[in-house]
Amino acid sequence: MENALEAKTLESALAEYYRLSSDTLDRRISILKSRMADRLLILGHNYQRDEVYKFADYTGDSLRLSQYAAQRSDREYIVFCGVKFMAETADILTTPKQKVILPDLAAGCSMADMADIENVETAWQELTDLLPDSAITPITYINSSADLKAFCGEHGGLVCTSTNAEKIIRWAFERREKILFFPDQHLGRNTCKRMGIPLDKMAMWDPAQPNGGNTPEAIRNARVFLWKGFCSVHQMFQPGHVDYFRKQYPDIRIIVHPECSMEVVDKSDLIGSTEYIIRTVSEAPSGTRWAVGTELNLVNRLKKDNTDKEVFFLSPMVCMCSTMFRIDAQHLLWALERIESGSPVNQIIVPEADRYWAKVALERMLALA
Ligand code: 13P
Ligand code: SF4
């Protein structure tokens, strides 16, 4: 009831912003940005809409943005145009005096929601009951809630991103025999496969089943436990899409994000984070052709910025991250106005209980990155 009332109040507060023209929104955002220049930092993930992306002081992938958040202790407010796990990461890595704002609190990540602390603790218990002490390192993809990062920190593990997953997994194997990787099975499988780990040493962990759906023998045999999570956007790319483009254009280069399935990744030429994809296509020679398997906003921007090349979206379907899409110019303006008026909204505050160990897990990653 209270939530419904809050949502209604928010809706009417925002309604006036939806009556503004895009020119007015742009003008008001620009004015606020310059008036608060010395205390405001806007971060924009590569999947953001152009209407907010253009206002970011820094843009980048999850790793790059977390590094910026950690470095800019001079800015009182960090407005994060991205999704909730990114804003939480920024809050963990900033000083207690800084405030992190997510312009729309509904901007979550459906993959991050596929692992929760209860399920991960159960999995840990089941695994450690069957295995010798200190056999496993927990690794969480940065696309996860703060309590899962804290779990990893507290159990000798750490965080990874799509940029540094291989380095992080290597670090873990130098210390312990096995890893529990969550929540994205695809990033885990694609990275471990590239590192030469055979598929029969990777066990899927289904949190809905006892022992993740594995026999005790399979658990003892596996080196990698892959949580049964995935990104609903990247799972829409299919191997047939790669075949189609190769047939149409034999010289085409296929570049995809490692959240795509192994079948797609295996057929592609290049794999990497959003930052890697942007850099690779942008630096490629004029006249080259590219088919790109990641979120649509990013690919549309790549097309616009690389008119000397041919850039295609790998899927015939619209693969858009609907939660990233929630941050629009209206929400950004509203968030900035509330900061200036001294009554900020949508501050992301990671509970003290999670902050310490989550920071340990993130700092282990940053030290390696
Ligand atoms: P990057 O870290 O590569 O930007 O990826 C984040 C993400 O959520 C991809 O779906
Ligand atoms: Fe999460 Fe997928 Fe959106 Fe990335 S694209 S934020 S993994 S739902």
Side-chain angles (χ1 to χ4, degrees):
M1 184 68 186
E2 216 168 81
N3 278 351
L5 194 67
E6 269 172 31
K8 223 172 159 64
T9 319
L10 178 59
E11 221 174 274
S12 50
L14 276 165
E16 64 172 282
Y17 293 91
Y18 283 97
R19 286 193 281 272
L20 301 175
S21 69
S22 54
D23 283 351
T24 306
L25 288 163
D26 280 3
R27 188 170 38 79
R28 281 168 62 174
I29 293 172
S30 300
I31 292 170
L32 284 163
K33 250 199 92 171
S34 58
R35 282 212 295 253
M36 297 194 284
D38 56 346
R39 60 189 187 113
L40 173 73
L41 184 73
I42 302 181
L43 298 178
H45 185 263
N46 292 325
Y47 290 163
Q48 289 292 292
R49 303 170 179 222
D50 286 346
E51 67 190 55
V52 296
Y53 190 82
K54 66 185 177 193
F55 289 112
D57 296 298
Y58 295 118
T59 58
D61 61 11
S62 311
L63 176 65
R64 184 78 86 92
L65 294 178
S66 64
Q67 288 167 326
Y68 287 133
Q71 286 157 11
R72 297 305 305 261
S73 56
D74 57 318
R75 301 295 168 98
E76 185 186 354
Y77 283 97
I78 296 191
V79 173
F80 213 120
C81 297
V83 290
K84 190 172 174 209
F85 73 80
M86 297 179 181
E88 281 187 343
T89 301
D91 183 51
I92 294 163
L93 294 173
T94 47
T95 66
K97 279 193 189 141
Q98 293 174 284
K99 296 178 183 64
V100 177
I101 305 291
L102 183 64
D104 185 341
L105 290 181
C109 164
S110 54
M111 176 211 281
D113 294 341
M114 289 178 189
D116 64 35
I117 189 69
E118 285 79 24
N119 286 335
V120 168
E121 276 173 348
T122 303
W124 190 253
Q125 193 58 56
E126 289 173 331
L127 285 168
T128 48
D129 280 351
L130 282 165
L131 297 169
D133 279 352
S134 300
I136 326 172
T137 300
I139 300 177
T140 188
Y141 188 21
I142 196 164
N143 297 37
S144 57
S145 55
D147 52 2
L148 293 185
K149 293 184 176 78
F151 177 91
C152 289
E154 198 170 356
H155 292 86
L158 70 179
V159 178
C160 76
T161 71
S162 55
T163 301
N164 58 28
E166 184 165 338
K167 207 181 269 181
I168 300 296
I169 293 172
R170 209 173 288 291
W171 179 94
F173 280 133
E174 279 162 13
R175 282 155 185 83
R176 295 179 190 167
E177 189 200 334
K178 298 171 194 276
I179 61 168
L180 170 62
F181 190 95
F182 44 85
D184 186 22
Q185 58 173 294
H186 299 297
L187 176 65
R189 184 180 297 110
N190 289 325
T191 310
C192 289
K193 191 173 175 205
R194 196 170 53 221
M195 292 167 70
I197 298 168
L199 289 176
D200 66 6
K201 290 284 175 190
M202 300 185 213
M204 176 83 93
W205 192 273
D206 178 354
Q209 294 192 50
N211 283 338
N214 299 287
T215 60
E217 195 200 344
I219 288 178
R220 279 187 277 270
N221 173 56
R223 291 187 68 201
V224 176
F225 301 99
L226 298 169
W227 199 261
K228 201 181 175 187
F230 59 88
C231 166
S232 46
V233 179
H234 288 88
Q235 73 157 4
M236 286 162 83
F237 298 104
Q238 298 296 320
H241 302 151
V242 179
D243 298 340
Y244 168 83
F245 275 106
R246 291 223 190 272
K247 199 161 166 216
Q248 289 293 108
Y249 308 103
D251 62 343
I252 202 159
R253 306 280 282 155
I254 312 282
I255 186 164
V256 302
H257 196 278
E259 286 173 17
C260 291
S261 70
M262 178 181 76
E263 290 74 16
V264 170
V265 163
D266 285 353
K267 281 179 174 260
S268 300
D269 299 303
L270 297 162
I271 327 297
S273 75
T274 57
E275 188 85 5
Y276 171 81
I277 292 173
I278 294 171
R279 196 178 55 244
T280 306
V281 175
S282 305
E283 290 174 0
S286 288
T288 48
R289 281 201 181 98
W290 294 87
V292 184
T294 195
E295 206 266 352
L296 186 60
N297 269 301
L298 183 157
V299 182
N300 283 341
R301 193 176 305 119
L302 260 188
K303 278 188 202 178
K304 254 193 289 169
D305 294 346
N306 290 276
T307 47
D308 60 329
K309 293 151 213 162
E310 253 188 297
V311 179
F312 299 93
F313 188 57
L314 184 59
S315 167
M317 265 96 69
V318 176
C319 307
M320 190 176 264
C321 179
S322 56
T323 48
M324 285 276 184
F325 197 70
R326 294 193 71 97
I327 314 285
D328 54 16
Q330 288 83 354
H331 281 84
L332 177 58
L333 176 59
W334 174 60
L336 296 180
E337 287 190 345
R338 293 292 297 262
I339 291 172
E340 201 190 38
S341 69
S343 49
V345 286
N346 295 4
Q347 187 182 346
I348 298 298
I349 305 176
V350 172
E352 251 345 284
D354 296 326
R355 177 177 292 275
Y356 175 81
W357 284 113
K359 194 167 183 185
V360 169
L362 281 162
E363 283 177 345
R364 278 187 191 132
M365 171 188 81
L366 291 173
L368 290 168

